[in-house]
Amino acid sequence: MTHPSQDDPTDEHPDQEDEHLIREAERIAVAVGRMFPGLCEVVLHDLRRPDSAIRAIENNLSGRQVGDSATELGLRRIEDPDYPSVIQNYSNRFPDGRPAKSTSIGIKNADGRYVAALCLNLDVSTLSPLALTLANLVATGVEHRGEGLETLRDRTGRELRSAIDSFAAERSSTPRGLNRDQKRELVRQLHREGFFETRSSAQLIADRLGVSRATVYNYTK
């Protein structure tokens, strides 16, 4: 009586292809995490096992462990194969309160079912001091701060984005991570500084803050 060899296709586990896919993703997670030590946490979730989903965690910044359960995004992908495969650059926060910028990438098998998710969590707080230093370097005097001494026409989109990012960095946050009162304060400041003179500026501000254009105009009142 002969026994099938290890290479015999008939001896393959039904889940073998999914396992191979996840192992390849695990290699990517480790490589990306080690490229950004102390800055970006990379987590691989095995969505086949939601109760113990974390398969690998490199550059651990959140305090989670291998074997911990899936996040809300993972559960949504398990329930809905049509859920977006990439959720990019969304505002997040580590358990100790540090702001983070996150990206979640769903991984489907050949049958179109989510089997894994690769998540990157960038520690924004480590970048804020540098952003604040640069903001202070280009800051003007405080004597007339808040006074509309003059309006500079044709403010560029780059200047507008820089002003928004500097305001958020001073508060150890990202533009989308600001709370409602902070966003209102920022919009009013931009209005005083003449950034609303350009027709497209309101939409750019809305996109940057993650709010509607109508909300931006409402904040100016």
Side-chain angles (χ1 to χ4, degrees):
M1 179 176 179
T2 60
H3 297 278
S5 68
Q6 291 182 346
D7 296 328
D8 188 343
T10 61
D11 194 39
E12 290 184 356
H13 191 281
D15 198 36
Q16 188 171 358
E17 291 186 4
D18 291 353
E19 180 64 24
H20 175 75
L21 190 64
I22 293 174
R23 285 181 180 177
E24 291 299 300
E26 188 172 353
R27 294 173 58 193
I28 296 172
V30 172
V32 173
R34 292 181 180 178
M35 188 174 180
F36 302 100
L39 184 62
C40 185
E41 175 185 79
V42 184
V43 186
L44 178 65
H45 297 267
D46 184 344
L47 299 183
R48 301 171 303 171
R49 304 173 178 86
D51 291 335
S52 56
I54 293 185
R55 175 72 171 260
I57 181 164
E58 187 67 29
N59 201 21
N60 193 332
L61 299 175
S62 64
R64 291 175 293 173
Q65 303 295 329
V66 170
D68 283 355
S69 59
T71 63
E72 293 87 346
L73 280 179
L75 296 176
R76 290 171 189 165
R77 288 193 172 112
I78 293 171
E79 295 171 355
D80 182 9
D82 294 325
Y83 195 81
S85 59
V86 177
I87 308 294
Q88 193 163 20
N89 294 335
Y90 60 93
S91 178
N92 210 338
R93 193 166 293 276
F94 291 111
D96 61 4
R98 285 173 297 161
K101 182 171 75 171
S102 300
T103 291
S104 177
I105 305 166
I107 300 172
K108 291 183 176 181
N109 62 10
D111 296 326
R113 177 172 56 88
Y114 282 115
V115 295
L118 187 64
C119 300
L120 293 81
N121 303 308
L122 181 67
D123 185 356
V124 179
S125 69
T126 61
L127 302 177
S128 296
L130 175 60
L132 181 57
T133 298
L134 295 175
N136 289 336
L137 183 64
V138 301
T140 57
V142 298
E143 182 180 356
H144 300 289
R145 183 171 291 176
E147 295 181 28
L149 299 181
E150 63 178 354
T151 297
L152 303 178
R153 305 285 177 170
D154 300 324
R155 307 296 292 270
T156 66
R158 180 180 298 177
E159 288 176 311
L160 178 53
R161 286 190 291 270
S162 177
I164 294 172
D165 291 346
S166 295
F167 182 96
E170 290 176 0
R171 290 152 181 81
S172 299
S173 179
T174 61
R176 287 175 175 257
L178 295 168
N179 62 41
R180 184 173 58 184
D181 290 339
Q182 290 172 331
K183 289 178 180 180
R184 180 181 290 107
E185 179 186 354
L186 170 59
V187 169
R188 290 178 177 176
Q189 176 180 311
L190 295 173
H191 189 264
R192 289 194 303 268
E193 293 175 357
F195 282 103
F196 279 70
E197 297 297 327
T198 303
R199 183 175 301 177
S200 61
S201 60
Q203 188 60 56
L204 191 154
I205 295 169
D207 293 341
R208 205 72 172 172
L209 297 183
V211 299
S212 68
R213 186 174 178 180
T215 297
V216 169
Y217 281 118
N218 186 51
Y219 282 166
T220 65
K221 300 176 182 178

